């Protein structure tokens, strides 16, 4: 009996036993409801959005609905508003993720090494992440508006920072960083927990200073956790929406692609153009995920088990 | 004058009706009573009292239930558009901003008013508000209340209100030279309220943005002239630093801080100041919106709300009658006095209580007799978004070039082929 099982596991290609096959069938059956729900709530809307994006379909002109192939894509991809928004989104994403990574790492080290009040330190750091984004965004908006806020005139005596593109983008990034750095720190702290204490001690016995221990020992061991954190945050940051809507409503060229898609889809009631933008955002997000998984390879989630188990 | 006794009686009636509503809601939530008419309207403090009065007057023929829409215009439009696109039968009477008439009518979401009902609504109603409820010659809604903007200024700083835009800027120059507050407040954020101001300037300069049939972007010399006026204001140094992020309520608050001389805004600033700082009220003066043409008075954009009946309503007869009652002369007078919304029926301005709440009613009426209307097209939302985008910030306007861009992008917006910013 035990010999037979050993053979079947060592030779993977061997035909499955009756019991095994029944087990696998049961497995599929148990998965089926979840898979069907997933198809219904994600695959169908995506497919429907793609279908809409091939049509001229404006709720204001229901009589003019027709199939127009790729025309919507041409319209969007040759439009300067789209590319401005795309540039703004990429800029916000890149700057924000880099700042968050650095700050998050510092926070994670502090939280990891905190000797006293560890629980308190962790709770306090997480407070911004616990606040609803829109609520936080409104407080930022009031703070940065002259007359109602204390921050606006602290930096420029007579200015209104939310009325210019540069300072608006800086404030949007600040609000995002303030909010999500704790999340980044949390993910990185999970990575820090992976670094064996013995390894660090051994390194310091060998004469490695704090910086060397950080770059040569901690970072390589933490690499999977860092990549997961970066992937999550990049995908998240690319879809930035609420802070922009509350802080500037996209004025002075501060719209992100999501804000632009919302404006065309919900405000403009133009289902064709709006769906086209949604599909393009979907493709962009898919590319980001693909690049992370391919480029940084093995450490990213969903990759092969070889290193993932390390 | 409402005697205390009568007021108490009215309150008791309101309370009774309120209780009836509560029980009706809990008891009949699954199946709607056959006489229930659902009103979807923006939050208005005392509208429930109007609803109660109409319900009582109908003697049980209909029972209007007031459902509050979101407070902001975009939120209201979004909820109604979403539900009407899905053919929701639970909406009967809709509170429509004047600019949505064409859009909702073209999409087939609201019913035409015809025959006696049309005659009843048109009778005594000011021409401007009536035009804002009309699309392609057909009446699609009943004007409930209107609105126009005035020039508000500080009586202690300015003796004679400016009649033109240039005169206003010159007076501001003089005030600044004297070391007095000289700021001209205008809601210049990238939003509909800024487009309203621009539309007033365009109409006052005799210009046109969109052709009368709503098919073609015109953008003539009057538009260039209006663009120049905004640019002049931006260059004059008399603007607030937060102009390009300010909406109507922001400039109302800024004016109450006391650092401004002029404010271009809706009449609600009067009631707000009466409540917030009554001591400033004696210095608050008003005049007709300044014109761009010294020989002609300004033409001021009208706002306000109309009542439409949903295409998907299953009780259109009740809905039309209930809507008529909600906007009849007595209802409009009550709403004007209690909620500060200007009536659309001319005779109401002479009604009881109006003189105290509406000391500026003569100016309002004068503006309403010869108003400007925002472009009538189903794609108005797109046109407005493009305008707001290209006009903001005012300091970036280059009249000729901006007009050129406006012409192209408004045309795209009208065809709904372009991308909205």
């Amino acid at each position: 009996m035990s010999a037979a099982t050993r053979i079947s596991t060592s030779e993977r290609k061997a035909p499955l036993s009756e019991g095994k096959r029944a087990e696998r069938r049961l497995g599929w059956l148990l998965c089926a409801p979840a898979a069907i729900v997933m198809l219904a709530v994600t695959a169908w809307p995506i497919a429907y959005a793609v279908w809409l994006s091939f049509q001229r379909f404006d709720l204001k002109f229901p009589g003019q609905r027709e199939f127009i192939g790729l025309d919507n894509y041409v319209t969007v991809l040759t439009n300067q508003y789209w590319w401005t928004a795309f540039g703004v989104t990429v800029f916000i994403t890149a700057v924000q993720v880099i700042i968050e990574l650095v700050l998050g790492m510092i926070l994670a080290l502090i939280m990891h090494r905190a000797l006293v009040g560890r629980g308190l330190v962790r709770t306090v750091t997480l407070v911004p992440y616990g606040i609803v984004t829109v609520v936080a965004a409104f407080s930022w908006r009031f703070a940065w508006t002259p007359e109602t806020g204390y921050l606006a005139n602290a930096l420029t005596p007579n200015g209104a920072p939310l009325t210019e593109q540069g300072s608006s983008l800086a404030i949007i990034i600040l609000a995002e960083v303030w909010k999500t750095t704790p999340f980044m720190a949390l993910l990185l702290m999970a990575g820090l927990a992976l670094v064996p204490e013995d390894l660090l001690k051994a390194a310091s016995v060998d004469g490695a200073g704090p910086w060397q221990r950080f770059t040569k020992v901690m970072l390589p061991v933490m690499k999977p956790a860092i990549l997961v954190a970066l992937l999550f945050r990049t995908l998240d940051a690319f879809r930035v929406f609420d802070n922009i809507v509350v802080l500037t409503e996209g004025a002075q060229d501060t719209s992100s692609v999501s804000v632009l898609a919302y404006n065309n889809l919900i405000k403009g009631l133009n289902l064709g153009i709006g769906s086209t933008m949604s599909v393009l955002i979907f493709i962009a997000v898919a590319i980001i995920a693909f690049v992370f998984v391919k480029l940084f390879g093995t450490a990213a989630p969903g990759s092969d088990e070889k290193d993932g188990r390390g | 004058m409402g005697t205390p006794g009568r007021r108490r009686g009215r309150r008791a009636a309101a309370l009774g009706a309120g209780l009836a509503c509560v029980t009706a809601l809990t008891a009949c939530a699954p199946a709607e009573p056959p006489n229930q008419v659902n009103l979807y309207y923006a939050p208005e403090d005392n509208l429930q009292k109007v609803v109660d009065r109409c319900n009582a007057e109908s003697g049980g023929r209909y029972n209007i239930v007031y459902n509050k829409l979101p407070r902001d215009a975009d939120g209201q439009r979004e909820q109604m558009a979403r539900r009407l696109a899905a053919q929701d039968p639970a909406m009967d009477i809709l509170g429509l901003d004047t600019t949505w008439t064409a859009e909702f009518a073209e999409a087939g979401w609201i019913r035409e008013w015809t025959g006696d009902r049309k005659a009843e609504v048109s009778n005594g109603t000011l021409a401007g508000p009536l035009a804002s409820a009309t699309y392609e010659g057909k009446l699609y809604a009943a004007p409930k209340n209107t609105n126009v903007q005035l020039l508000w200024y500080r009586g202690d700083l300015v003796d004679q209100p400016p009649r033109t835009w240039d005169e206003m800027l010159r007076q501001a120059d003089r005030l600044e030279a004297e070391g007095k507050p000289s700021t001209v407040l205008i809601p210049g954020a990238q939003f509909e309220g800024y487009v309203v101001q621009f539309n007033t300037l365009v109409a006052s300069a005799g210009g046109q943005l969109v052709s009368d049939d709503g098919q073609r972007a015109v953008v003539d010399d009057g538009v260039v002239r209006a663009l120049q006026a905004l640019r002049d204001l931006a260059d004059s140094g008399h603007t607030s630093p937060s102009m390009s992020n300010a909406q109507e309520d922001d400039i109302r608050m800024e004016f109450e801080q006391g650092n401004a001389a002029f404010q271009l805004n809706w009449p609600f600033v009067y009631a707000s100041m009466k409540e917030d700082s009554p001591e400033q009220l004696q210095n608050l003066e008003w005049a007709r919106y300044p014109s761009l043409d010294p020989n002609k008075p300004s033409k001021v954009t009208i706002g306000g709300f109309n009542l439409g009946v949903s295409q998907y309503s299953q009780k259109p007869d009740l809905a039309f009658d209930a809507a008529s009652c909600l906007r009849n002369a007595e209802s409009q007078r009550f709403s004007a006095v209690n909620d500060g919304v200007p009536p659309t029926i001319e005779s109401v301005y002479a009604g009881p209580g109006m003189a105290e709440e509406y000391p500026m009613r003569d100016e309002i009426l004068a503006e309403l007799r010869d108003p400007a209307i925002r472009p009538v097209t189903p794609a108005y939302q797109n046109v407005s978004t493009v305008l707001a985008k290209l006009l903001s910030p005012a300091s970036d306007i280059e009249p000729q070039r901006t007009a050129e861009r406006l012409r192209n992008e408004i045309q795209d917006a009208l065809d709904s082929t372009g991308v909205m910013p």
Side-chain angles (χ1 to χ4, degrees):
Chain A
M1 194 55 188
S2 65
T5 36
R6 213 176 298 142
I7 288 168
S8 79
T9 42
S10 59
E11 293 173 41
R12 295 213 163 159
K13 297 274 164 65
L16 293 166
S17 70
E18 194 61 29
K20 273 277 167 198
R21 234 179 298 164
E23 216 169 73
R24 185 163 286 190
R25 218 172 15 242
L26 180 68
W28 279 113
L29 277 175
L30 290 176
C31 287
I36 290 169
V37 170
M38 285 287 282
L39 282 177
V41 300
T42 57
W44 164 242
I46 292 171
Y48 189 58
V50 173
W51 169 235
L52 284 177
S53 72
F54 293 133
Q55 299 177 42
R56 163 166 169 74
F57 189 6
D58 190 323
L59 281 184
K60 297 186 292 286
F61 302 99
Q64 298 179 22
R65 183 175 177 177
E66 59 176 332
F67 184 84
I68 52 168
L70 290 171
D71 281 8
N72 283 332
Y73 288 88
V74 175
T75 307
V76 173
L77 291 174
T78 54
N79 186 279
Q80 56 147 331
Y81 292 130
W82 168 260
W83 290 111
T84 309
F86 194 82
V88 164
T89 313
V90 169
F91 176 78
I92 291 179
T93 306
V95 174
Q96 179 194 344
V97 170
I98 291 167
I99 297 176
E100 274 177 22
L101 181 65
V102 175
L103 286 182
M105 184 60 94
I106 295 171
L107 262 184
L109 286 170
I110 292 172
M111 289 199 282
H112 191 63
R113 293 275 167 239
L115 294 175
V116 278
R118 200 178 260 221
L120 185 72
V121 171
R122 289 183 187 182
T123 315
V124 168
T125 348
L126 271 175
V127 166
Y129 193 62
I131 296 177
V132 181
T133 315
V134 174
V135 175
F138 268 110
S139 8
W140 284 114
R141 187 176 125 188
F142 288 128
W144 286 108
T145 304
E147 315 290 336
T148 59
Y150 55 97
L151 282 174
N153 295 340
L155 296 183
T156 47
N158 239 339
L162 283 175
T163 62
E164 278 151 44
Q165 191 197 20
S167 46
S168 295
L169 287 180
I171 291 169
I172 290 166
I173 291 173
L174 173 75
E176 288 275 315
V177 166
W178 176 83
K179 187 180 159 56
T180 37
T181 301
F183 179 65
M184 187 69 126
L186 211 65
L187 288 176
L188 293 176
M189 211 170 67
L192 272 180
L194 289 176
V195 181
E197 207 58 33
D198 297 347
L199 210 57
L200 292 173
K201 279 190 189 136
S204 84
V205 168
D206 288 343
W211 180 249
Q212 275 176 316
R213 279 195 307 250
F214 178 67
T215 53
K216 298 270 155 66
V217 181
M218 283 172 144
L219 283 187
V221 177
M222 282 175 68
K223 195 178 151 205
I226 293 177
L227 288 175
V228 169
L230 277 181
L231 176 62
F232 278 12
R233 282 306 305 143
T234 311
L235 291 183
D236 227 21
F238 193 79
R239 295 173 297 138
V240 55
F241 179 78
D242 20 23
N243 264 316
I244 295 181
V245 167
V246 173
L247 284 166
T248 64
E249 284 189 87
Q252 279 81 48
D253 288 329
T254 53
S255 282
S256 70
V257 283
S258 299
V259 176
L260 199 66
Y262 173 83
N263 281 347
N264 281 276
L265 195 58
I266 309 290
K267 279 195 192 161
L269 302 177
N270 195 335
L271 302 189
I273 296 277
S275 300
T276 305
M277 289 180 178
S278 309
V279 171
L280 289 171
I281 295 170
F282 175 74
I283 293 173
V285 167
I287 290 174
I288 292 174
F290 182 80
V291 165
F292 265 93
V293 174
K294 273 291 159 209
L295 217 67
F296 302 113
T298 51
S303 57
D304 290 321
E305 53 261 33
K306 263 188 268 165
D307 286 27
R309 288 205 180 142
Chain B
M1 303 281 142
T3 61
R6 198 193 297 167
R7 213 174 282 162
R8 205 175 303 135
R10 216 179 271 168
R11 206 176 294 161
L15 195 73
L19 279 176
C21 267
V22 171
T23 43
L25 270 180
T26 44
C28 314
E32 211 174 83
N35 69 341
Q36 180 173 332
V37 176
N38 287 311
L39 164 70
Y40 282 81
Y41 199 83
E44 195 177 289
D45 291 344
N46 295 297
L47 186 60
Q48 185 62 49
K49 291 182 188 143
V50 176
V51 167
D52 293 342
R53 207 199 76 238
C54 284
N55 286 343
E57 278 177 11
S58 84
R61 203 168 90 76
Y62 53 75
N63 181 42
I64 309 166
V65 175
Y66 174 20
N67 302 277
K68 289 193 179 74
L69 289 170
R71 202 163 274 280
D72 63 304
D74 281 339
Q76 295 160 16
R77 176 172 161 275
E78 272 164 39
Q79 181 179 142
M80 289 192 287
R82 201 183 64 227
R83 294 177 63 173
L84 290 167
Q87 314 198 348
D88 186 342
M91 294 180 132
D92 297 308
I93 307 176
L94 311 169
L96 304 172
D97 189 288
T98 51
T99 57
W100 306 335
T101 310
E103 180 175 25
F104 279 53
E106 176 73 31
W109 291 338
I110 45 178
R111 293 171 190 254
E112 190 191 343
W113 291 62
T114 51
D116 291 347
R117 290 197 176 103
K118 180 180 180 181
E120 189 192 336
V121 166
S122 313
N123 187 20
T125 301
L126 289 154
L130 200 61
S132 77
T134 307
Y135 177 61
E136 293 184 335
K138 296 174 185 164
L139 185 70
Y140 278 98
K144 179 183 165 308
N145 68 262
T146 183
N147 226 339
V148 276
Q149 300 189 321
L150 296 169
L151 168 70
W152 303 87
Y153 63 97
R154 288 262 300 269
D156 55 332
L157 301 175
V158 181
D159 311 323
Q160 190 67 34
R163 286 180 51 245
T164 66
W165 193 262
D166 293 333
E167 212 176 296
M168 179 173 73
L169 295 182
R170 277 202 308 277
Q171 288 190 2
D173 288 339
R174 187 176 51 76
L175 287 169
E176 193 184 21
E178 292 170 8
K180 292 178 180 163
S182 66
T183 306
V184 179
L185 292 172
I186 180 169
Q190 191 178 318
F191 84 123
E192 179 64 27
Y194 186 35
V195 176
V196 170
Q197 303 270 351
F198 182 65
N199 192 65
T200 298
L201 292 174
V202 170
S204 300
Q208 199 170 13
L209 284 162
V210 174
S211 64
D212 289 331
D213 60 2
Q215 300 291 320
R216 212 162 34 78
V218 179
V219 188
D220 52 17
D221 289 344
V223 175
V224 178
R225 178 92 188 73
L227 287 167
Q228 185 65 49
L230 282 178
R231 181 66 199 261
D232 288 346
L233 174 65
D235 290 345
S236 72
H238 301 307
T239 53
S240 155
S242 47
M243 170 180 164
S244 61
N245 216 26
Q247 303 199 357
E248 289 101 342
D249 210 41
D250 302 318
I251 68 165
R252 194 261 308 164
M253 283 192 274
E254 214 176 328
F255 192 81
E256 286 179 11
Q257 308 255 339
N259 299 323
F262 301 100
Q263 170 183 204
L264 295 159
N265 212 339
W266 306 104
F268 81 103
V269 300
Y270 182 83
S272 295
M273 186 173 273
K274 203 170 167 185
E275 204 161 285
D276 295 349
S277 52
E279 69 282 0
Q280 286 187 35
L281 199 63
Q282 53 171 340
N283 287 331
L284 182 68
E285 299 285 339
W286 53 87
R288 192 176 182 131
Y289 198 102
S291 180
L292 286 187
D293 183 341
N295 301 316
K296 274 194 214 140
S298 57
K299 281 169 83 86
V300 187
T301 310
I302 54 170
F305 276 90
N306 304 328
L307 294 173
V309 174
S310 162
Q311 188 66 51
Y312 308 108
S313 165
Q314 287 162 338
K315 305 153 199 160
D317 284 328
L318 293 182
F320 275 117
D321 291 348
S324 287
C325 178
L326 290 173
R327 54 83 56 194
N328 69 18
E330 176 49 24
S331 299
Q332 290 203 15
R333 193 198 64 79
F334 182 86
S335 297
V337 172
N338 292 286
D339 283 325
V341 287
T344 57
I345 299 175
E346 188 162 358
S347 60
V348 176
Y349 283 85
M354 289 298 288
E356 296 90 74
E357 295 302 320
Y358 273 79
M360 59 299 203
R361 60 189 176 151
D362 291 339
E363 273 76 20
I364 291 181
L365 253 183
E367 288 184 350
L368 279 175
R369 288 204 182 100
D370 181 26
I373 291 182
R374 284 169 271 181
V376 177
T377 154
Y380 178 74
Q381 188 78 20
N382 302 24
V383 174
S384 162
T385 312
V386 165
L387 280 167
K389 166 81 191 163
L390 292 181
L391 296 175
S392 178
S395 50
D396 284 358
I397 293 175
E398 294 167 50
Q400 288 295 348
R401 258 200 57 227
T402 308
E404 198 58 43
R405 280 193 71 185
L406 277 178
R407 192 173 302 123
N408 293 332
E409 297 199 17
I410 288 178
Q411 190 61 55
D412 277 353
L414 290 173
D415 300 339
S416 85
T417 50
V419 171
M420 273 168 64

